Each structure stands twice: as structure tokens, then as C-alpha cells.
Amino acid sequence: MMRSAVMVAVLSFCLQACSEKEDVGDGKKLADTVVEPQVSTPDFNAGRNAYFGDLHVHTMYSFDAFIFGTTASPDDAYGFAKGGVVTHPGGFDMQLDVPLDFYAVTDHAFYLGSLRAMADPSTDLSKHEIAEGMSELSDAANRYGHFQKVIAFLRTERSSELLDQQVYKEAWDDIVAAANRHNDPGKFTALIGYEYTASGDQMENLHRNVIFRGDTAPELPFSRIDSSNPERLWEWMDEQREKGLEALAIPHNSNGSNGEMFKLLDFTGNRLNSAYADQRMRNEPLVEITQVKGTSDTHPALSPTDEWADFEIMPYRIATKLDSTVPGSYVREALMNGIELMQKKGFNPFKFGAIGSSDTHNGTYAGDEDNYWSKVGLLDDEPVERGSIPLPEPRKGGELYADSYYRTWSAAGLAGVWADENTRGSIYDAFRRKETFATSGPRIRVRFFAGYGLPKIETKDLISRAYSIGVPMGGDLIADKDREPEFLVWASRDANSAPLQRLQIIKASVRDGKSVEHVFDVACSGGGEVDKATHRCPDNGAKVNLEDCTISDDVGSAELRTIWRDPDYDPSEHALYYMRVLENPTCRWSTWDAIRSGVSPREDLHATIQERAWSSPIWISPPEQ
Amino acid sequence: MKLLREPLVWFFAVGIVLFATDDYFSRQPGRVVVDEGVRSRLDKLWQVQTGNSATPKELESLVQNWIREEVFYREALRMGLDRDDSIVRRRLVQKLGFLIEEVEEEGDQAQAVQEYYQVNTADYSLPVRYSFSQIFFTDGSRLVELQTKLEQGDDWRGLSETSMLNSSYASRSEKEITAIFGRPFVGYLHSLVQGKWVGPIKSSFGLHLVRLERLIPTETTPLAYIEKRVYADYLQHRREVVTEAFYQDLLGSYEIVLE
């Protein structure tokens, strides 16, 4: 009796202590949305499980998805993530081989539900001039025209005319209810979310997805119609947090931002300061680095010494054929600018963890290279529309392929997290810790720790010891003058994709006031040795047969792992490290399209790609002087 | 006839009569009536677009536009322009569909849901699942050594090579096992024997000795666990039934000629 009373006391103390939320800078605590006793689910693992999800999904409520022909509801989308079937507007069925563990529907907040209402002649919205033709959308060209018409109207002073408060509210309530209905602790996490779709005057992309931790959401989202300035969004999120509604924003498609997403000035053109950095990091701990509209890790022009930087580059501003300036548009450069600012000014506004997601507008996912669904419904469901096979007749001027940007799009990406269990709280807290990784589609699992005196790689309880001695991906380590840090780097293949080719570390550090990057191969497939001078693995000789996309089945590794030390370590430098793992090459979706259509793959596209995963960085800062 | 007891059918029957009568009186050829209803609709629309109520002058202009549109609309109908137009056709069918699909939620439907669940148990069944342990190794020549150690009673957990795979998996379906070990591995599941190490079995990672701990046969989830889902499915099913019944009933009043 006495003993059980003590146990209860200890447990309830732990409940309080364990639910203390992490300080997120500025002295503010994360809001606690739900106070309930923590009962763990059967898969609970203190050494943490890898979970895969998609945090970027549009359904029929998004203005553009509706125009593209999407009729899938949030309910359909969550059902799809759990393994259900959704029919593509083009008439074929979409279903995942393996269901996802977590998922968020993130419809565009502006004009949420409006386009559906416009197409219904009984509504007021259908009488608006912009609604003309919305109930008779036809071919891809007609739909693209309507899409551009709405975007143009959105950019006028009259933009709020298309916002019917009742339609908006009903759609939002339906989204929230669908997430709550589908959330199934221990099995499937359905998060409440939406997309804040702001852009600059010249179509510079400033989009963010806002993801909520709990089961209650604000009355209505904060949209670009409220303000196109993302700093206003963060203020609104701070206010919500004060009210107990914890959320984070995840920027995406920095590649299409024309240098605006990570520029070194704030929205109105002032120099960045520590208040800006605190507010941004409090609200934006993560960044989406890969999705259908390209990969934003880095660009060959920014990383000339990274032979794998030319990966799924999408060079345009979003929804246009205007070029997007490279500097300020890619994540690695931002991370590097971040540590440079940290060294010079003592604050870092770009201390992001990484995730991938699809940005599907079909209410599902991106599909795979050999079963690609792209993302804009009837606009690009045919290979000829996405420019992977020639037009029946060449265009004026002799151009063989359709004049579209879809050729630069990808069958990507996935969000990975390491979490104790598959619940909203556990998955969301992994986002907050940045214990996240991104993949270009395959379910590659990556583990990454840094610490002093990590155990040998073959140690049985390696992970629990790494957690107790070191910090996982997304964490911080203080440099030590007397000891060098070690890195535990470990990747495990997707059992149904290609084997792994090489394991890498991308390092950036501030040297002589300037941040510089290095790419190190740290483990090679087939037992190959890294060359000590070039830091490169030998070529493993993996081949792809471009006649039928078969791959070499005798090269590559199922797992790659090592304990790595930086040969160029300097404890006085601000530095960051993240891991990247590359699969053996496989056919790109455009090559699959060409082979299936019996034509040669297009010469100005990569015929093969190396699918990959990236971890969130670990930051190392010099000890306080 | 059961259908005659369906309140929805009565609702439609009465509705159609009222609608047709109203339509007849207000749509007499050559007569366009601008009443308060029309004016207030136009004014409301104006307010949505401009934020202000229409001035008398603006309203007059809106009314004139409306009359013009109405005259053209009537003329278009008279000329039969609505016929053979797939958009008009689809839209009208869709509107009728919305009306039919609004199935009313009547009082106690527990009994009906229970019956629906009984008939559709297959939809609420879990597949066969496997609980198993595995020893992972990459070098095939280790097989004899591993088997000897198992026979000697060594702790099997210590025999596996390090990997991100778990040593045991509880209650996993074939689909889940495919995701973890790859497609070829799943082909061997039927050869597993409870309580006995079987192998080597090849996966995308390497070789495995596998011991089946428990085979969980397919089972049906009790209704109490999934009441909401079954109720939603039941409602959807009822909508489909009502729509189909309505169609069949209507069909009776048409003669279908296949030429």
C-alpha cells in the first residue's frame, strides 16, 4: 500500500517534469495544447523509431487543385495515406505500396473552398467575373488559363472579393474534422495544417506550410490575404501559441523564391537582427528541401565541388517560366550564412532541420519514378504534357517537346522523423527537436549523432549509448579544445528500392570570416575504401540498362555505417555537419515515360538519378571564451 | 411498395409538382416578372461585389441587365439550346444528385448499423499477421556456426550482425513485412514454423534465420471499436441505395428505346 502510494507520487511528478516543454528561445515556452496522462502505445521505443510521412498535400479545397480537376477531399487524402485508393482526375487509381505513418493536408488558405463554390451556380461566388467558365473547365490549356487568371486576380487590390467567409470557414472546419477523425494514436498521425501561400511582387515564392501540434485549430488560418509578409505570419503564430495553439511553419520551394527565401534582409529590407532570428527560429525550425517542384538542398553554381549538387534542379519561380536567381534560394547556402552570422553577430536565423514532402495537388502523394503521378491533375498526367516524350507534331520553330516546366519536376519527396512512438505529440516534438530527415522518395533511414567518445560501430547498444553520450541530428554540440568530436553516420536502404552507393558528410564551417563547404565520402559500398586525399569512394560500377531500366543487382550495400572524425577539424570555428546517402543510379520518371512510349529518353534531361536522403544538421560552436 | 413509404420519395414527388406549377405561372411565355425577390437577389450580389447596397439608379441598371439576361435565357430555352449540351446536362444531373444524397439522419439507427456491419464483416477484418524473431547475417558461410550455437543454447540475440532491423517484430501483415524486408522475403513466410529457426531466408539486406513466434489469423474488428467508421460507411451505403431506388422508380415512368 505504502509502496504504491510512493509509486503514484513518483509517477505524477514525472508526468509534470516530463511534460515541461523545451525553451524555444526568447524565454518563451512551447504551448502545451493537451494535458493528459502519457500512456505509451505498443511500438514505443526509447531508442526511437523512424516514421515516414508527407506534410504537404492539397485537396479539392485548394483553388488550383480544383482547377486541375482534383475532387479528392481531405477525408479521401487521409484515407489514401492509410493505404486507401484515390482515383486521379486522369482516370487511373493511386495507391501506396506501403501506407504512410503521418500526414498533413495543407490546402492553400487563400480562397480555401472558393473555387468549388464558384463552380456551383447556386452560390454568390459563382456570379463573380472570375468564376466565369469555372463550371465548364475542360482541357489542360483551358485549366491552365483559369489557374493563371485566378493568380493574376489574387495579385490585385480586389483579391479579397473571392473570399466568402462562410465557404472559407466550412472548408477549414472540414479539414480540421478530417484530421481529427483519421488520427489514430500508435498507428497513424493525422496533423492539422494549411499552406500560407505568400509571394513577392515578382512571383518570388515565400510559401510555408503551417502544422499544428494538437487537435484544436484557430477559427481560421492566417493567409496571404491577411498579409504577404511572412513576419506577420510568425507574429500570428506567436499569438496562437500564447493561446495554447502550438504550430510551426515549414518554408518550401526556396528554389523558386528568386533569392528571397533566405536573403540577408527582412521583408521590408532592413538588416537582420537577433529578434528576427529568434522569431524565425521559434516558428520555422524546419525547411522542406525536396518535393515535386525540385530539390532545394544546393545548386551546382553554389557548390562547385559537390559532384552530386546537380540533382533535380527546378530553375523557375513558382507557377512561371521566369528564372529564379540562385543565391538566397538554396538551403545549404542559408545554413552557411547562418553560422557566419552566428560568428559575426551572435545570432542565426537559418538554423533549419530538413524534411521532404510531395506538394501533391492530387490529394495523394507524388508516386515513384516508375509510377509517377506528378502533382497538377489534368495539366500533366500525360507524358506528352510533361515533356518527357515528343509532341505528335513539333511546335513552331521545330521544338519537339511541349513548352512546359513539368520536365524539371520530380517524383519526390518524403519526411522522416525519429520519434518514440507514432502519436501527434511524439512526431511533432521530433519536428521541434529537428530530429528529422528528408528523402527524394525511397524509405531510406538515416541515423546521425555527434559526441565525444562514441562507442564502436559494432557495439550492441550503440543507439542508446549514442543518445546518452552524444546529440542526434538537429542537435548542438559545444566544441572542446582538448577532444575531437566523433560522428556516428548510418544509413539503411529501402528494401524495395536500389542499394546504397556511398555515405557522405557535408560540412560547412566559418574560416577567416567566410563559410566554406566540404563534401566527404565516409563509407563506400561493397567494402570500398575512401581515398584519403580526395575523400571519395571508388566508382562501384553500378549500371542502369536504359532499354528497360533494370539495374546491376550485385553492387551496392544494404547498410552503410561508420564512426567518422573530421580530418580538418578546428574547435575555434563555427561549423555544421549533415549526412547525405546516395543510392545506386536508377531511371528517372521521364526515362520510364520514354521507354513505355517506345521513344528515346529526352537528351536534355538526366536519364538516371541517384535517389538520396539528407539528415538535419548538427551544429558545433566554439566554447564560450 | 416499399418505396412509397420512403419519406424522401414523397418529398421529391411533392417538390416536383410544386416546382412545375410555380414554373408554369412565373414562366408563361412572353411574361417576365420583376418582383421583390429578384430585386433583393440583385442587391445582395451587388453588396458582395462592391461592399455597398445598390443605389436606386444602380438597382435600375441591374434590373435592366437581369431582364435582358432573362429574355435571352428564355429564348435560348425556347430554341432548345440547353439540349445536347453536356455541361447543362451534367450540371442538372449533379443538382438532382445533391438533393437525393441529403439522407436524413433519423433517430436510432444502431440496429441498422449493426446489420450493415454483419453483412460487410469482410471490410472490417484484419489480415493474417506474423510475430517473429530474426538473426541477420551477410556471410553465408556463417550458417553452420550459427546453427551450432543455437543448438548449444546460445542467446540468439547475440548472434545477429548489427543492422537497423529489429530482432523481433510483433503482429506484422505481409504488406508491412514487404516494406521492411523487400518482396522476395515475403514469399518464404508460408514456410515458417512456430518456435523453430528456419532459414537462411534472403532479403534485400542479406540472410536471415527466422523463428515464427505466433501466427495471428485474420480476425474481425469488434463493432464497438470502429462504430464511427461503420456508421459513416453505412450512411454512404444508404445514400447509394436511395439514389439507386430513386433512379429505378423514375426509370419506370420512361420507355427506353434502344435502337
Side-chain angles (χ1 to χ4, degrees), chain A residues 97 120-121 458 460 495-496 559, chain B residues 91 160 162 164 175 178 204:
Chain A
D97 289 338
D120 172 358
E458 296 299 336
K460 288 292 168 199
N496 298 299
E559 296 207 349
Chain B
R91 181 61 201 157
S160 228
T162 308
M164 271 197 216
K175 214 169 178 177
T178 309
S204 301

Side-chain angles (χ1 to χ4, degrees), chain B residues 121-141:
Chain B
T121 42
D123 295 348
Y124 307 110
S125 296
L126 295 168
V128 173
R129 283 142 298 152
Y130 302 81
S131 292
F132 61 98
S133 301
Q134 60 95 18
I135 298 166
F136 170 61
F137 58 110
T138 44
D139 178 1
S141 66

Side-chain angles (χ1 to χ4, degrees), chain A residues 370-625:
Chain A
D370 64 350
N371 184 22
Y372 181 47
W373 306 327
S374 192
K375 59 160 242 180
V376 289
L378 293 170
L379 263 52
D380 73 341
D381 60 323
E382 299 286 347
V384 71
E385 290 165 335
R386 49 195 189 223
S388 52
I389 67 168
L391 293 157
E393 296 288 328
R395 283 191 281 133
K396 251 189 223 164
E399 180 58 53
L400 294 178
Y401 297 95
D403 179 24
S404 73
Y405 39 68
Y406 309 129
R407 70 181 188 285
T408 65
W409 289 9
S410 293
L414 269 186
V417 302
W418 290 100
D420 300 338
E421 56 182 341
N422 189 357
T423 60
R424 275 179 172 165
S426 191
I427 300 263
Y428 187 94
D429 293 348
F431 298 157
R432 269 288 168 203
R433 289 193 305 273
K434 306 172 196 173
E435 200 172 345
T436 61
F437 55 101
T439 95
S440 59
R443 292 176 195 223
I444 301 168
R445 288 179 290 168
V446 294
R447 298 210 91 146
F448 186 45
F449 292 84
Y452 301 103
L454 289 179
K456 288 201 169 62
I457 197 72
E458 296 299 336
T459 312
K460 288 292 168 199
D461 55 352
L462 180 64
I463 294 301
S464 65
R465 290 182 58 190
Y467 270 117
S468 62
I469 296 169
V471 296
M473 56 180 72
D476 288 275
L477 198 69
I478 305 291
D480 184 328
K481 295 199 300 303
D482 305 322
R483 291 182 300 174
E484 288 196 8
E486 290 162 325
F487 296 84
L488 162 53
V489 202
W490 188 356
S492 180
R493 67 173 287 182
D494 176 336
N496 298 299
S497 185
L500 305 177
Q501 188 193 65
R502 67 184 74 216
L503 191 61
Q504 303 181 307
I505 291 241
I506 290 151
K507 174 198 177 183
S509 66
V510 187
R511 189 156 289 184
D512 304 326
K514 190 77 201 136
S515 59
V516 287
E517 66 169 277
H518 289 282
V519 177
F520 298 93
D521 285 358
V522 300
C524 315
S525 64
E529 289 283 326
V530 179
D531 183 303
K532 287 203 167 52
T534 61
H535 303 294
R536 288 292 175 267
C537 289
D539 178 3
N540 75 351
K543 296 273 183 303
V544 182
N545 180 347
L546 291 180
E547 302 287 312
D548 59 9
C549 289
T550 50
I551 58 173
S552 324
D553 56 4
D554 53 349
V555 282
S557 292
E559 296 207 349
L560 290 172
R561 58 177 176 268
T562 191
I563 300 283
W564 182 76
R565 284 174 196 81
D566 178 0
D568 200 19
Y569 181 70
D570 180 343
S572 67
E573 292 173 354
H574 280 272
L576 67 89
Y577 298 80
Y578 64 97
M579 63 175 285
R580 180 172 70 185
V581 60
L582 305 176
E583 278 188 358
N584 280 340
T586 46
C587 276
R588 191 175 186 264
W589 63 266
S590 44
T591 307
W592 279 105
D593 276 359
I595 288 175
R596 284 173 180 152
S597 307
V599 301
S600 303
R602 185 168 168 172
E603 282 184 8
D604 58 352
L605 296 178
H606 292 298
T608 63
I609 56 169
Q610 283 185 276
E611 302 269 19
R612 58 196 66 197
W614 305 259
S615 75
S616 289
I618 290 172
W619 288 264
I620 301 189
S621 46
E624 302 278 339
Q625 299 304 317

Side-chain angles (χ1 to χ4, degrees), chain A residues 43 95-98 119-121 124 127-128 135-136 161 418 445-447 457-458 460 490-493 495-496 558-559 561, chain B residues 44-45 48-49 87 91 95 98 157-166 172 175 178-184 204-206:
Chain A
D43 283 341
Q95 187 174 24
L96 293 166
D97 289 338
V98 185
D120 172 358
D124 290 342
K127 316 291 192 297
H128 194 278
S135 58
E136 22 193 295
E161 286 172 21
W418 290 100
R445 288 179 290 168
V446 294
R447 298 210 91 146
I457 197 72
E458 296 299 336
K460 288 292 168 199
W490 188 356
S492 180
R493 67 173 287 182
N496 298 299
E559 296 207 349
R561 58 177 176 268
Chain B
K44 213 170 152 195
L45 185 62
V48 169
Q49 292 179 352
I87 290 157
R91 181 61 201 157
K95 277 181 96 164
F98 289 151
R157 282 182 189 82
L159 300 178
S160 228
E161 278 177 32
T162 308
S163 82
M164 271 197 216
L165 299 167
N166 297 353
R172 305 289 175 134
K175 214 169 178 177
T178 309
I180 301 164
F181 291 92
R183 283 176 201 101
S204 301
F205 294 86

Side-chain angles (χ1 to χ4, degrees), chain B residues 190-251:
Chain B
H190 70 272
S191 64
L192 298 181
V193 183
Q194 187 154 341
K196 195 166 171 257
W197 290 104
V198 172
I201 295 178
K202 202 170 177 324
S203 77
S204 301
F205 294 86
L207 301 168
H208 309 261
L209 292 175
V210 182
R211 185 176 72 191
L212 180 66
E213 309 294 356
R214 196 167 154 238
L215 182 88
I216 305 153
T218 175
E219 64 183 328
T220 305
T221 313
L223 178 57
Y225 288 37
I226 46 168
E227 228 159 353
K228 273 188 192 160
R229 184 177 143 207
V230 179
Y231 180 62
D233 292 350
Y234 161 74
L235 273 190
Q236 181 60 27
H237 167 74
R238 235 195 112 211
R239 280 185 204 111
E240 284 163 15
V241 169
V242 172
T243 307
E244 183 58 21
F246 185 60
Y247 169 62
Q248 291 302 335
D249 199 41
L250 285 177
L251 197 60

Side-chain angles (χ1 to χ4, degrees), chain B residues 32 65-77:
Chain B
V32 174
N65 273 337
W66 183 84
I67 293 171
R68 183 185 157 90
E69 204 177 66
E70 183 68 15
V71 167
F72 281 156
Y73 172 62
R74 298 260 192 103
E75 193 58 16
L77 283 183

Side-chain angles (χ1 to χ4, degrees), chain A residues 115-322:
Chain A
L115 272 285
R116 284 182 85 231
M118 282 186 195
D120 172 358
S122 68
T123 65
D124 290 342
L125 278 173
S126 69
K127 316 291 192 297
H128 194 278
E129 64 197 57
I130 294 295
E132 200 190 324
M134 286 303 174
S135 58
E136 22 193 295
L137 296 166
S138 55
D139 60 7
N142 167 285
R143 286 168 192 271
Y144 189 73
H146 282 287
F147 169 62
Q148 288 296 346
K149 180 177 78 171
V150 176
I151 289 192
F153 188 80
L154 174 68
R155 302 168 62 74
T156 68
E157 285 178 359
R158 295 171 56 198
S159 65
S160 64
E161 286 172 21
L162 295 185
L163 202 60
D164 177 317
Q165 289 297 319
Q166 197 185 336
V167 168
Y168 189 11
K169 178 73 181 142
E170 278 173 15
W172 177 237
D173 287 350
D174 187 40
I175 290 167
V176 172
N180 286 338
R181 198 163 52 244
H182 282 279
N183 189 52
D184 188 0
K187 295 199 180 99
F188 179 77
T189 292
L191 295 153
I192 299 169
Y194 76 90
E195 181 176 323
Y196 168 78
T197 313
S199 45
D201 293 338
Q202 303 300 317
M203 294 297 279
E204 303 96 336
N205 179 78
L206 295 171
H207 302 181
R208 270 102 172 145
N209 285 316
V210 179
I211 306 289
F212 294 89
R213 184 178 193 269
D215 57 2
T216 27
E219 268 299 286
L220 283 171
F222 184 91
S223 84
R224 68 168 288 160
I225 294 177
D226 296 302
S227 172
S228 264
N229 178 350
E231 293 153 35
R232 298 287 94 78
L233 169 71
W234 303 333
E235 281 169 19
W236 177 82
M237 290 172 67
D238 282 343
E239 286 164 21
Q240 299 304 313
R241 193 170 295 116
E242 291 293 317
K243 292 185 206 160
L245 299 177
E246 165 63 26
L248 49 81
I250 308 174
H252 67 262
N253 281 120
S254 56
N255 56 352
S257 74
N258 201 36
E260 291 292 308
M261 190 66 88
F262 307 125
K263 70 175 173 183
L264 297 172
L265 299 170
D266 71 7
F267 190 76
T268 39
N270 306 305
R271 278 164 187 260
L272 302 184
N273 58 29
S274 66
Y276 175 96
D278 280 350
Q279 188 177 45
R280 186 162 188 171
M281 286 300 96
R282 184 164 64 242
N283 290 294
E284 287 191 354
L286 300 178
V287 61
E288 183 195 292
I289 68 168
T290 184
Q291 65 136 276
V292 172
K293 289 196 303 297
T295 289
S296 302
D297 172 31
T298 192
H299 187 283
L302 296 169
S303 301
T305 59
D306 181 349
E307 303 92 306
W308 297 272
D310 184 10
F311 178 73
E312 298 300 88
I313 296 296
M314 193 291 299
Y316 306 112
R317 283 175 242 173
I318 303 307
T320 74
K321 288 172 190 163
L322 303 168

